[in-house]
Each structure stands twice: as structure tokens, then as C-alpha cells.
Amino acid sequence: QSVLTQSPSVSAAPGQKVTISCSGSSSNIGNNDVSWYQHLPGTAPKLLIYDNNKRPSGIPDRFSGSKSGTSATLGITGLQTGDEADYYCGTWDRSLSGVVFGGGTKLTVL
Amino acid sequence: EVHLLESGGGLVQPGGSLRLSCAASGFTFSNYAMGWVRQAPGKGLEWVSSISASGGATYYADSVKGRFTISRDNSKNTLYLQMSSLRAEDTALYYCAKDLQVSGSYYDFDYWGQGTLVTVSS
């Protein structure tokens, strides 16, 4: 059972928009910035969003992030088949004094 | 170009030990916090441990605390994970990862290695 809660799966058609949510508590999301990762099987995870809504160099603006209270959301617009992957949120948990990841959300682009 | 290369994985019996290494290049290693993240077969990402740029601060997941030790040699640009009292549930692909910023969040990992597989089985 992950400290951060994500829906197991989400799906949408090519070109559409999807949001992936991440729910936590005051111990983690409520008091720390959130990061989002994309993970395709057999490859290294990729950092998509950090500090809730910032994109590292090279990440297209189709990817966006937001945070409100103890929840965070990743948005992906203009879905492409290449976006099919597992998406994880992550942050620091002050009670655990460690990093916590969500359980991951599998995105299917129909 | 940033490059992280893990090594040291393999098959080990329950209760055994293993040391993973991560050779870093393409950036000033001593300026950045580093971490280890694993993925068990069919499971999600699980943070294992992080270490500050100087090595003076270390953090561990509860699942490995007391059994794993993270360390670094900034003169050799290498990150280590000493694993002992290994259990079947430690079986996973272990990634080393670099922190995005010099200030170090310990969870904004902008570069990852390809991973090294650890299998704990008799």
C-alpha cells in the first residue's frame, strides 16, 4: 500500500487530454513539492514535472502539473500513442523522513 | 552528457549480501545528492535510499533500514549501496539516480541509470 494514492489506470483517445491524480496527506504533499515521472517498461524513468508545475528542459508543454492542498495532478494534452506508460508521483514525507512514490497509474492511449 | 552506470547485481541467497555500484560521469558528481530506486517484478517504483552531495546525510526507506547502507566516493564519482540480510522481497531492478538541483530535494531525479537486477533466491 503506497503512501501516495493514484488511480491504477486511465485511458483516453489520441489527441485528447487526460489528468492523473495523486492524493497524500499533510505529512507529504501538503507540505512538500511534488514530482511526476513517466516510466516505459524496459527504460529508465523520466522526470516530467518537479516543484509541482515546473518542466525540466526538453519536456514538452503538453505535460503540466498542479497541486492543491494534499493532492496533486498531472495533465497531459494532445495524447500520443508514445505517451502510453506508467506515471508516478513522488515527494518527501516528513513523518517517514524519506521519499514516497505513488503506486503508479497506467495510461492507455486507445 | 550525463551517464550513470550501475553494476554489482546478481543472484544471491536469502540472508546474503551484495554491493551495488553506480559510476557517474558528465557532471560534477560531488555537487549533487544521489539516490537508489528499485522496481520489483510487476510492481511500481519504490524509493530505497538517498544521500546528500557530501555524503553527510543519508536517508532510507523503512523496508531497508538497518540492512542497507548508502555511501559515495566523490573522488571516484561513484555511488554505492551495500545490501545485507537480503530477502526475497528485495528482488528488483535497482536504479541509481541523480538529483536535479544542487540544492537537492532528494526526489527530483533528472537522470537515471539503466538499472542492475538483484535476485534473492535459494
Side-chain angles (χ1 to χ4, degrees), chain A residues 26-42:
Chain A
S26 59
S27 177
N28 40 68
I29 292 178
N31 282 281
N32 291 285
D33 294 326
V34 176
S35 298
W36 288 93
Y37 294 88
Q38 178 192 65
H39 191 204
L40 284 76

Side-chain angles (χ1 to χ4, degrees), chain A residues 33 35 37 39 43 45 88 99, chain B residues 39 44 47 106-109 112:
Chain A
D33 294 326
S35 298
Y37 294 88
H39 191 204
T43 70
Y88 297 88
V99 177
Chain B
Q39 184 176 36
W47 172 77
Y106 297 111
Y107 58 90
D108 293 328
F109 297 123
W112 299 61

Side-chain angles (χ1 to χ4, degrees), chain B residues 2-115:
Chain B
V2 172
H3 194 54
L4 300 172
L5 181 63
E6 302 97 336
S7 61
L11 175 63
V12 61
Q13 292 188 338
S17 299
L18 214 54
R19 187 177 84 156
L20 305 184
S21 298
C22 172
S25 61
F27 65 103
T28 305
F29 182 72
S30 59
N31 284 354
Y32 293 88
M34 298 289 294
W36 290 96
V37 177
R38 69 185 180 184
Q39 184 176 36
K43 303 292 186 181
L45 298 178
E46 180 189 15
W47 172 77
V48 174
S49 181
S50 290
I51 186 168
S52 63
S54 68
T58 57
Y59 305 92
Y60 299 92
D62 285 346
S63 58
V64 307
K65 201 170 293 182
R67 300 187 300 121
F68 290 12
T69 301
I70 191 171
S71 63
R72 63 192 296 161
D73 186 335
N74 286 344
S75 69
K76 295 182 178 179
N77 292 345
T78 303
L79 175 72
Y80 302 100
L81 185 68
Q82 179 67 49
M83 305 184 295
S84 60
S85 301
L86 282 162
R87 308 165 179 166
E89 53 264 37
D90 295 318
T91 294
L93 185 63
Y94 285 73
Y95 296 99
C96 80
K98 166 191 168 291
D99 209 293
L100 171 69
Q101 302 179 89
V102 171
S103 54
S105 69
Y106 297 111
Y107 58 90
D108 293 328
F109 297 123
D110 62 341
Y111 285 94
W112 299 61
Q114 288 303 306

Side-chain angles (χ1 to χ4, degrees), chain A residues 36 46-50 54-60, chain B residues 100 109-110:
Chain A
W36 288 93
K46 177 189 292 186
L47 179 65
L48 295 176
I49 298 289
Y50 68 99
K54 297 177 183 175
R55 284 177 285 106
S57 174
I59 302 300
Chain B
L100 171 69
F109 297 123
D110 62 341

